[in-house]
């Protein structure tokens, strides 16, 4: 038996990654674009978990099917309050990433290299309208910010997120490797465990 799951995001890069990450579950993943659901959902909270739960609940109520939402972002320790849950909005929603990298490089230029620590965070929330329950998983990955972007894979801030263990930025690692180690990969692995049990549908 296959069920339907709405991946409630307007970010096409998240869709591409999540389809790969959640390929072995008894759910067919459909997207907002595929069902033509366009609603403006605020992200009013200061934690990824609260924002993800809010997005999942609003979209599940609108579509009447289980909805999965991803709230994620880059936390730069030397720039508290600037990115984090506001990562998509940093410098303005439609500002191209190279301009954002430049802004970050300017801010971090005065910070010693070893203090340019950062982490990606991902909260996934699954809202089941039949039961009203919300399931939450989270994942993170530690790294450093480099001032010169490198690499062609991934999206968003990946070209400046350097992982010392791999001697590479996340944009220099293939999608297969990113899937295994990333914040979204970790959170999705835990969510797949939940989605493998159709009893959650009530
Ligand atoms: P939805 O709310 O519709 O899902 P969004 O892009 O607005 O789309 P968020 O509010 O969760 O989503 O913001 C996430 C931002 O964090 C994203 O736009 C990137 O700037 C950054 N980000 C998250 N995960 C990332 C990743 O794996 N690689 C690079 N940047 C990432």
């Amino acid at each position: 038996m296959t069920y339907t799951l709405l991946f409630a995001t307007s970010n096409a890069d998240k869709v591409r990654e999540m389809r790969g990450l959640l390929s072995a579950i008894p759910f067919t993943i459909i997207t907002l674009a595929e069902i033509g659901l366009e609603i403006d959902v605020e992200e009013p909270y200061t934690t990824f978990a609260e924002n993800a739960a809010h997005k999942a609940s609003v979209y599940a109520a609108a579509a009447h099917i289980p909805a999965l939402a991803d709230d994620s972002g880059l936390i730069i320790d030397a720039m508290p309050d600037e990115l984090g849950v506001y990562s998509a909005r940093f410098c303005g929603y439609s500002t191209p990433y190279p301009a954002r990298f430049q802004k970050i490089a300017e801010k971090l230029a005065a910070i010693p290299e070893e203090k340019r620590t950062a982490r990606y965070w991902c909260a996934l929330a699954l809202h089941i309208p039949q039961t009203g329950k919300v399931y939450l998983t989270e994942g993170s990955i530690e790294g450093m910010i480099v001032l010169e972007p490198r690499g062609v894979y991934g999206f968003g801030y990946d070209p400046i997120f350097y992982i010392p263990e791999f001697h590479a930025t996340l944009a220099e690692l293939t999608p297969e490797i990113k899937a295994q180690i990333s914040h979204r990969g970790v959170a999705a692995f835990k969510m797949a465990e939940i989605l493998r049990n159709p009893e959650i549908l009530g």
Side-chain angles (χ1 to χ4, degrees), residues 8-11 14 17 32 43 48 55 59 70-74 84-85 87-89 93 97 100 120-121 154-158 170 178 182-184:
T9 180
S10 50
N11 183 322
K14 287 184 184 177
E17 289 194 359
L32 295 176
E43 294 175 3
F48 296 105
K55 286 192 267 190
Y59 283 109
D70 168 317
D71 202 63
S72 47
L74 175 65
V85 291
S87 297
R89 291 165 260 185
Y93 273 111
Y97 279 88
R100 303 186 195 208
Y120 269 127
W121 197 276
F155 68 97
Y157 298 97
D158 287 349
L170 215 37
K178 179 177 177 185
S182 78
H183 51 314
R184 186 164 297 102

Side-chain angles (χ1 to χ4, degrees), residues 18-30:
M18 197 59 79
R19 280 200 196 283
L21 290 165
L22 293 182
S23 55
I25 54 167
F27 285 83
T28 300
I29 296 176
I30 58 170

